Amino acid sequence: MRIIISRSTVTQLIGGLDWFFVKASRGGWDLARIAGVNIPTQKRVEIALTYIYGIGRTTASKLCDKLNIPKERRVQDLMEDELSRLRDAIDQEVVVEGDLRRKVAMDIKRLMDLGCYKGLRHRKGLPVRGQRTHTNARTRKGPAKPIAGKKK
């Protein structure tokens, strides 16, 4: 099903619909919505599915193989029944988006509550998986802070 709408009403539709296609009369752009994420329609199915948090190349490839969807086909060329099968498969088999983010946050919180080594590293904002911290680790530690009187 295709809905032809103007750009001004897109924002109203995105909030309420689980999935849709939009074809704007002026701009000529399409959107496919799966698991609450706007999938780019100009890309191949296998690549476009990776825009969903929790689906990587391997999972996308397995989904395409299972549903007999050619990986090289573009999202805009998918039939509606293929899109609905894809949506159903993602809902049933893969934990994605909000549920996955919540699960990861709860796992980290559990480690912190236990007080285990990984939990302490999370609590202190240091690297968790054994990386060195004497130099590097700036992503976790933040920008370098000068220490007064520390000259060698």
Side-chain angles (χ1 to χ4, degrees):
M1 177 173 125
R2 273 190 192 243
I3 303 171
I4 299 174
I5 59 173
S6 66
R7 288 181 188 246
S8 60
T9 57
V10 170
T11 51
Q12 296 169 353
L13 284 174
I14 289 176
L17 293 176
D18 183 32
W19 66 273
F20 66 91
F21 276 105
V22 178
K23 180 79 172 175
S25 54
R26 299 182 264 149
W29 46 278
D30 283 349
L31 294 174
R33 195 162 171 89
I34 300 176
V37 178
N38 293 337
I39 304 293
T41 57
Q42 301 299 320
K43 297 190 181 283
R44 296 184 304 124
V45 174
E46 186 179 21
I47 304 301
L49 286 176
T50 62
Y51 279 64
I52 300 171
Y53 180 78
I55 296 181
R57 288 289 296 268
T58 305
T59 308
S61 178
K62 288 178 183 175
L63 281 169
C64 290
D65 289 341
K66 183 180 178 196
L67 300 173
N68 296 325
I69 296 173
K71 296 174 195 169
E72 60 275 355
R73 189 181 292 172
R74 306 279 171 175
V75 174
Q76 66 189 2
D77 299 333
L78 288 177
M79 294 297 163
E80 218 171 301
D81 66 317
E82 291 173 327
L83 264 175
S84 62
R85 284 188 299 154
L86 196 57
R87 246 180 249 109
D88 293 339
I90 289 172
D91 287 343
Q92 292 171 1
E93 298 173 20
V94 187
V95 180
V96 291
E97 286 299 321
D99 295 335
L100 182 59
R101 291 179 203 271
R102 196 174 309 106
K103 182 183 181 306
V104 169
M106 290 304 294
D107 289 344
I108 292 172
K109 186 178 182 317
R110 178 180 53 82
L111 290 171
M112 288 167 51
D113 291 343
L114 282 174
C116 65
Y117 182 77
K118 284 177 74 172
L120 294 176
R121 303 295 285 184
H122 274 293
R123 196 179 302 159
K124 291 179 183 177
L126 293 171
V128 177
R129 297 181 180 178
Q131 296 92 333
R132 66 180 286 132
T133 57
H134 180 71
T135 59
N136 304 331
R138 283 290 141 214
T139 302
R140 286 290 300 201
K141 291 169 69 174
K145 302 171 208 73
I147 299 171
K150 171 132 186 189
K151 258 195 174 176
K152 282 194 171 180

